[in-house]
Amino acid sequence: DTEVTQTPKHLVMGMTNKKSLKCEQHMGHRAMYWYKQKAKKPPELMFVYSYEKLSINESVPSRFSPECPNSSLLNLHLHALQPEDSALYLCASSQGVGFNQPQHFGDGTRLSIL
Amino acid sequence: GQQVMQIPQYQHVQEGEDFTTYCNSSTTLSNIQWYKQRPGGHPVFLIQLVKSGEVKKQKRLTFQFGEAKKNSSLHITATQTTDVGTYFCAGLNNQGGKLIFGQGTELSVKP
């Protein structure tokens, strides 16, 4: 069982829709991450939040908008996505800030853009 | 920029055979992490190596970090069907920055 919970598990949306992905962890971790993963590829970092503040944005298109309402929650707001955005979106958290910390991944949201 | 190359891309073994995946970095790493992702699953942290020449074992898995801290390997002894999945290394360079994932090695085990 994963300690990082992501909802929904699957999402199908049209290119004009607005939807949100949610991630929750109750381990007291201070850093949270969004990754995008295509089939047969490694995870690609999108955003990093450290102490609830956005610390890294890997030049992600503005149609992806992250939000960190509190230390346990991380959202990814989606708007006007493209078919190439179809992928597995993974949330992760780590106890401390910095990439020398093990990351705990959620099960992911499988997103399909029609 | 920094790259982490991982080979092989795929490995098919008979159950009971050994398996090794290798990672090489273009720059010196401060640490390297290993993750396993089962088919349809999410990456699961296995281990982190920090010291030059470090060797760590977890049951049938042996992890090594090279003396120059530019390469690492994961060796599985006597594979089992439960070992099936993709193994990723992820390195952090000495100048900080972010974790760079290797392309992964997909392991299949034939019973």
Side-chain angles (χ1 to χ4, degrees):
Chain A
D1 288 337
T2 183
E3 296 175 82
V4 177
T5 305
Q6 288 188 244
T7 55
K9 292 195 182 304
H10 302 274
L11 179 62
V12 179
M13 57 187 287
M15 288 189 283
T16 58
N17 292 158
K18 285 185 180 181
K19 296 285 185 183
S20 296
L21 309 185
K22 296 185 182 302
C23 175
E24 191 168 1
Q25 58 88 13
H26 293 289
M27 296 178 283
H29 286 182
R30 308 311 298 180
M32 295 185 77
Y33 313 77
W34 279 115
Y35 285 88
K36 173 184 178 180
Q37 187 178 30
K38 290 279 204 180
K40 307 285 188 183
K41 297 292 184 184
E44 296 173 43
L45 184 66
M46 299 174 72
F47 303 103
V48 181
Y49 274 82
S50 304
Y51 295 100
E52 303 167 46
K53 297 210 182 308
L54 183 65
S55 57
I56 294 178
N57 176 343
E58 287 289 297
S59 303
V60 179
S62 59
R63 57 186 184 268
F64 295 91
S65 175
E67 178 196 19
C68 189
N70 60 54
S71 60
S72 300
L73 294 174
L74 189 64
N75 298 322
L76 187 62
H77 303 298
L78 315 173
H79 175 53
L81 296 194
Q82 303 297 307
E84 60 266 27
D85 297 323
S86 297
L88 177 67
Y89 288 83
L90 292 161
C91 173
S93 68
S94 61
Q95 185 172 20
V97 171
F99 287 98
N100 59 349
Q101 304 280 320
Q103 295 187 25
H104 299 253
F105 286 84
D107 288 336
T109 295
R110 294 197 180 274
L111 177 65
S112 297
I113 308 299
L114 300 179
Chain B
Q2 181 194 355
Q3 292 186 351
V4 175
M5 307 301 293
Q6 188 174 357
I7 58 168
Q9 188 175 0
Y10 302 98
Q11 185 77 60
H12 308 287
V13 300
Q14 192 77 34
E15 189 172 23
E17 291 181 339
D18 291 357
F19 158 77
T20 305
T21 173
Y22 302 89
C23 282
N24 282 288
S25 170
S26 55
T27 59
T28 302
L29 301 171
S30 63
N31 68 53
I32 193 158
Q33 298 176 1
W34 284 91
Y35 292 83
K36 176 185 178 181
Q37 186 170 17
R38 293 181 186 275
H42 59 275
V44 174
F45 174 79
L46 295 177
I47 209 159
Q48 176 168 272
L49 304 172
V50 179
K51 298 177 184 175
S52 168
E54 190 169 14
V55 178
K56 287 188 176 181
K57 293 191 175 186
Q58 290 179 350
K59 297 183 181 178
R60 294 178 295 104
L61 277 60
T62 301
F63 303 85
Q64 293 189 333
F65 202 7
E67 294 291 340
K69 300 183 73 173
K70 284 189 170 185
N71 57 72
S72 181
S73 65
L74 158 59
H75 179 82
I76 302 178
T77 303
T79 54
Q80 300 175 357
T81 54
T82 52
D83 295 325
V84 163
T86 300
Y87 293 85
F88 292 101
C89 62
L92 179 64
N93 69 29
N94 270 345
Q95 283 73 48
K98 60 183 168 83
L99 216 53
I100 304 296
F101 280 82
Q103 291 299 302
T105 296
E106 184 177 341
L107 172 64
S108 64
V109 180
K110 188 175 181 181

